[in-house]
Structure formats: C-alpha cells, structure tokens
Amino acid sequence: MSVSSSDENAGELFSYLSTLDYEKVDSYFLSYAADGKAYEIAVVALRDAADLSTLVETLNAHVQGRVDLYKTYAPEQVQQAEAAEIVSMGRYVALIMCDERAAVKAAFAAGIQ
C-alpha cells in the first residue's frame, strides 16, 4: 500500500507517520505492507531543512511505536522494526524498515543528488 502528499487527505495520512506539523512538509510518500508485516519505506521532503531534527525525532517515535505494537501481536516482526533506519540529506529524510536497507539507502542517495 502507498500514500503520498498527492492524496486528497494527505495531511491526515501523514499523521500516521509523524506528528510534525504537516504545513512543514513539502511532499512525502509512504509505502507499507498491507499484511501487517514490518515493512515501511517513507521519504519526506521538508519545506525547511531547519525542521529536520524535529522530523527525525517524530520518526524515531513512530518506529518505537511499531516495535511496541509488534511485540504484542507479531513478535517475529520486532527485529525488522528495531533495525529500521532513518537517513537524511539536506531537507530530505527517509525511513527505511525492510530487508534491503542498504539498497534503499543507495536509491535514496542517488535520487536526492
């Protein structure tokens, strides 16, 4: 499943991922597993790079929430969620929770440059 800033209710959908004020977001997309597994990839472009640390903080809270959720109903997914990485370049931030983190990080870096 995927959602993005082009969706009609983009701000509401973004609140699943982050508590950052949506007005600070230029654009984003989030792809996630519809079957409840710990697979999420999100990229957020901020309007101002000064909001980067706040966004990263909220994404870390999101990841911790996912870890806590998986501990209650899908313990086999906990390790995947705990291994999630948050990377940034300039005003762009990516949340990477998947098996191929290195490949996704490389694609993120190539896409930003």
Side-chain angles (χ1 to χ4, degrees), residues 31-95:
S31 293
Y32 59 94
D35 62 2
K37 294 197 175 171
Y39 294 102
E40 294 183 10
I41 297 174
V43 175
V44 180
L46 292 165
R47 294 183 189 277
D48 186 341
D51 295 313
L52 180 78
S53 63
T54 303
L55 175 59
V56 169
E57 190 176 296
T58 67
L59 292 176
N60 279 320
H62 170 77
V63 169
Q64 186 57 55
R66 302 303 290 161
V67 168
D68 294 343
L69 179 66
Y70 290 126
K71 284 180 180 177
T72 64
Y73 86 92
E76 71 282 359
Q77 297 298 311
V78 171
Q79 185 176 8
Q80 179 81 296
E82 289 177 334
E85 294 184 52
I86 298 169
V87 296
S88 62
M89 294 181 74
R91 65 184 187 98
Y92 299 92
V93 179
L95 164 64

Side-chain angles (χ1 to χ4, degrees), residues 15-45:
S15 68
Y16 162 80
L17 182 64
S18 170
T19 58
L20 182 73
D21 179 356
Y22 187 64
E23 293 297 316
K24 296 181 177 189
V25 174
D26 183 43
S27 60
Y28 80 95
F29 77 84
L30 166 65
S31 293
Y32 59 94
D35 62 2
K37 294 197 175 171
Y39 294 102
E40 294 183 10
I41 297 174
V43 175
V44 180

Side-chain angles (χ1 to χ4, degrees), residues 3-11 13 22 25-30:
V3 298
S4 75
S5 52
S6 64
D7 290 330
E8 184 176 316
N9 54 343
L13 296 169
Y22 187 64
V25 174
D26 183 43
S27 60
Y28 80 95
F29 77 84
L30 166 65

